Amino acid sequence: MNCAEWQAQINSFADAELTPRGTQEFRAHADECRECASAALAAMETKAAVRRAGKRCTAPPELRARLLLQVQASSDTAVRMTSPKANVVNWPRSAVAAAAMILLAAGLFFLASRERRPNALGEFADLHVSTLASANPVEVVSTDRHTVKPWFQGRIPFTFDLPELQGSPFTLTGGRVTYFHQEPGAQLIFAEQKHLISAFIFRDTPQLAIPGEAFADRGTSFNLQTWTQDGLRYVLVSDINTAALKQLADLLQHY
Amino acid sequence: MAVPLLDPLFNFARWLTHDSVEAEDLVQETFAKALRGFGSFVPGTDFRAWMFRILRNTFLTSRTGLQVKLTVPLDPDDDRLATVTWETPESLALVSATRDALQAALEALPVHYREVVLLCDVEEMKYAETAEVLGVPIGTVMSRLARGRKALRQILADDKAATGGKLDSTR
């Protein structure tokens, strides 16, 4: 590929929309090409600058209050939504009541999904602990990624890639099949000196929609890192510090 | 009770309409429509994209939106990736631009570019999600994004040339 073709990929690179392989190839090219590297850097800085500049205003409290009134008005026989330019809408009582229920349900849905985050992560921490407590923490004992990865064939309904760990502080200990909300997935155990790290890999389902990337479970003092990649949800759990966990996450993301 | 997405939706509405009062109306109408049409939302799918899509469609049928629609140039909206050159001075103009200059440049951007840049960069939506909001293929999102960002860099570079680099001194 020539530089023009690489540069056509810069937006996708800055938007993290390239495949892991594509990202790796792009990085490899940028390592050698000063022009493409500086263009990619400019694109990423621009994205960050637009993000900061684009977050310009929050909803005025009056609007928030009006939206809430919209719900509370459900006890009236009809709601007259008046706004300077919008049409006047008359709603029959039943429709308004239904609408109020739906908004409440939507609110609860969101509260529930917010609640789910710590819960889901807590469950991963539990899985990690119960694995370590087990007499047989791993089903396939091997430090060789070319042994561990094929072992999962036919045991889980997807495949994943493992990075070369040579030269990193991490070693692969082995892996096992695990379940989360009735979904089979892979649990890989990595070691960093005496610390053990669980890497959970599942198909990304709405139940696993965890916003954010890094979490610290205060109650158990575990650190967690999570991300999605190629339709898979990765969750790392360990007692090692956040920076080290991030390092392993980076390795897994850019194998 | 929490009204999730209110701030992002309002922010986006404000960028679309250029006007705070109009943005408030737009958000209020969006929520009203969402309530009425909640049955058409498929649980498990992207709720945020669904809300943004309602807001954008509502905007396009509003008075300002109709004006915008009429003035949208027939851009070459093909799915092929736009060939974009990365002129270094322009890229640098963007990086060194102040927040005010960047906001002015975003305001000046045609709305069909502005919306795609905002969804991708400010809301940090993936291409697939942005495509869902705009109701266009992913390839169109990518080509519009490339053209939009290029136009943004151009506006800032022109800006900077016009003010003789004074923007730097205000930082």
Side-chain angles (χ1 to χ4, degrees):
Chain A
M1 271 205 282
N2 62 35
C3 274
E5 285 168 300
W6 284 115
Q7 298 209 351
Q9 292 193 5
I10 283 180
N11 274 318
S12 299
F13 176 75
D15 293 326
E17 292 272 357
L18 291 178
T19 59
R21 181 159 300 276
T23 306
Q24 196 184 24
E25 283 165 3
F26 187 90
R27 279 177 195 275
H29 172 71
D31 277 345
E32 286 163 9
C33 175
R34 210 176 145 268
E35 206 178 324
C36 287
S38 76
L41 190 68
M44 288 191 289
E45 287 186 21
T46 300
K47 190 177 163 75
V50 171
R51 183 174 60 228
R52 287 190 297 270
K55 281 190 184 152
R56 190 165 49 164
C57 37
T58 53
E62 306 88 63
L63 176 63
R64 202 175 287 271
R66 254 192 292 159
L67 286 171
L68 289 176
L69 268 179
Q70 213 167 310
V71 179
Q72 285 158 4
S74 61
S75 55
D76 299 344
T77 47
V79 150
R80 292 171 71 82
M81 269 218 343
T82 48
S83 59
K85 286 170 202 108
N87 294 332
V88 176
V89 183
N90 284 307
W91 285 357
R93 169 187 273 208
S94 58
V96 172
M101 291 292 288
I102 288 164
L103 185 53
L104 271 172
L108 290 174
F109 169 76
F110 268 91
L111 286 177
S113 61
R114 274 190 193 175
E115 278 299 299
R116 203 185 293 136
R117 185 194 74 187
N119 284 352
L121 292 173
E123 286 175 50
F124 280 114
D126 290 348
L127 275 175
H128 174 66
V129 173
S130 58
T131 306
L132 298 193
S134 153
N136 305 304
V138 289
E139 292 171 49
V140 50
V141 187
S142 172
T143 56
D144 181 7
R145 60 185 175 138
H146 298 298
T147 304
V148 173
K149 188 187 155 186
W151 182 84
F152 281 101
Q153 272 176 17
R155 289 183 166 87
I156 52 170
F158 57 86
T159 179
F160 54 87
D161 283 302
L162 282 173
E164 175 58 61
L165 294 173
Q166 199 100 52
S168 79
F170 306 101
T171 49
L172 183 61
T173 310
R176 67 200 295 268
V177 173
T178 187
Y179 289 85
F180 186 80
H181 290 202
Q182 288 85 47
E183 268 279 315
Q187 179 179 7
L188 303 167
I189 317 280
F190 294 93
E192 192 238 27
Q193 293 174 8
K194 299 273 179 189
H195 299 280
L196 293 176
I197 305 144
S198 280
F200 296 96
I201 309 172
F202 285 89
R203 278 192 298 194
D204 197 23
T205 57
Q207 284 84 24
L208 281 171
I210 304 165
E213 287 177 344
F215 304 92
D217 191 332
R218 281 202 195 130
T220 57
S221 77
F222 282 116
N223 280 313
L224 297 104
Q225 287 267 337
T226 180
W227 70 95
T228 54
Q229 187 176 325
D230 297 335
L232 298 177
R233 163 68 64 181
Y234 287 69
V235 180
L236 299 187
V237 186
S238 180
D239 57 345
I240 60 170
N241 63 48
T242 316
L245 206 56
K246 181 88 181 61
Q247 193 186 350
L248 180 61
D250 283 341
L251 281 168
L252 284 165
Q253 283 171 37
H254 312 291
Y255 60 87
Chain B
M1 189 184 70
V3 185
L5 292 177
L6 178 54
D7 283 335
L9 285 169
F10 180 77
N11 187 48
F12 188 57
R14 176 74 180 71
W15 276 113
L16 287 181
T17 57
H18 298 290
D19 181 89
S20 203
V21 176
E22 226 173 305
E24 281 189 41
D25 288 350
L26 186 52
V27 169
Q28 195 168 344
E29 214 181 325
T30 301
F31 273 84
K33 279 188 181 171
L35 285 172
R36 263 176 285 164
F38 198 76
S40 72
F41 174 69
V42 184
T45 61
D46 195 331
F47 185 73
R48 179 169 70 145
W50 188 70
M51 288 296 283
F52 271 89
R53 186 171 184 157
I54 294 175
L55 186 130
R56 179 176 176 271
N57 289 345
T58 308
F59 168 70
L60 288 180
T61 53
S62 74
R63 210 173 48 184
T64 319
L66 284 173
Q67 284 166 4
V68 162
K69 237 164 137 183
L70 291 174
T71 54
V72 166
L74 286 169
D75 72 329
D77 236 2
D78 53 56
D79 290 357
R80 278 174 294 135
L81 258 189
T83 45
V84 170
T85 46
W86 290 83
E87 305 88 346
T88 313
E90 283 180 20
S91 307
L92 289 179
L94 226 170
V95 169
S96 66
T98 61
R99 189 184 157 93
D100 286 350
L102 203 49
Q103 285 182 343
L106 278 167
E107 288 275 12
L109 211 57
V111 69
H112 58 298
Y113 288 154
R114 200 189 317 140
E115 60 183 8
V116 76
V117 169
L118 287 169
L119 291 176
C120 266
D121 290 356
V122 180
E123 295 308 323
E124 298 181 78
M125 288 188 182
K126 304 303 280 182
Y127 292 167
E129 204 179 351
T130 308
E132 206 180 316
V133 173
L134 302 181
V136 298
I138 288 181
T140 308
V141 168
M142 289 165 77
S143 61
R144 274 195 207 168
L145 196 55
R147 292 200 183 88
R149 283 175 175 165
K150 184 175 163 56
L152 196 63
R153 290 197 298 275
Q154 189 64 54
I155 292 169
L156 280 165
D158 293 351
D159 217 35
K160 199 160 183 174
T163 53
K166 270 182 216 154
L167 286 173
D168 272 344
S169 60
T170 60
R171 289 183 86 186

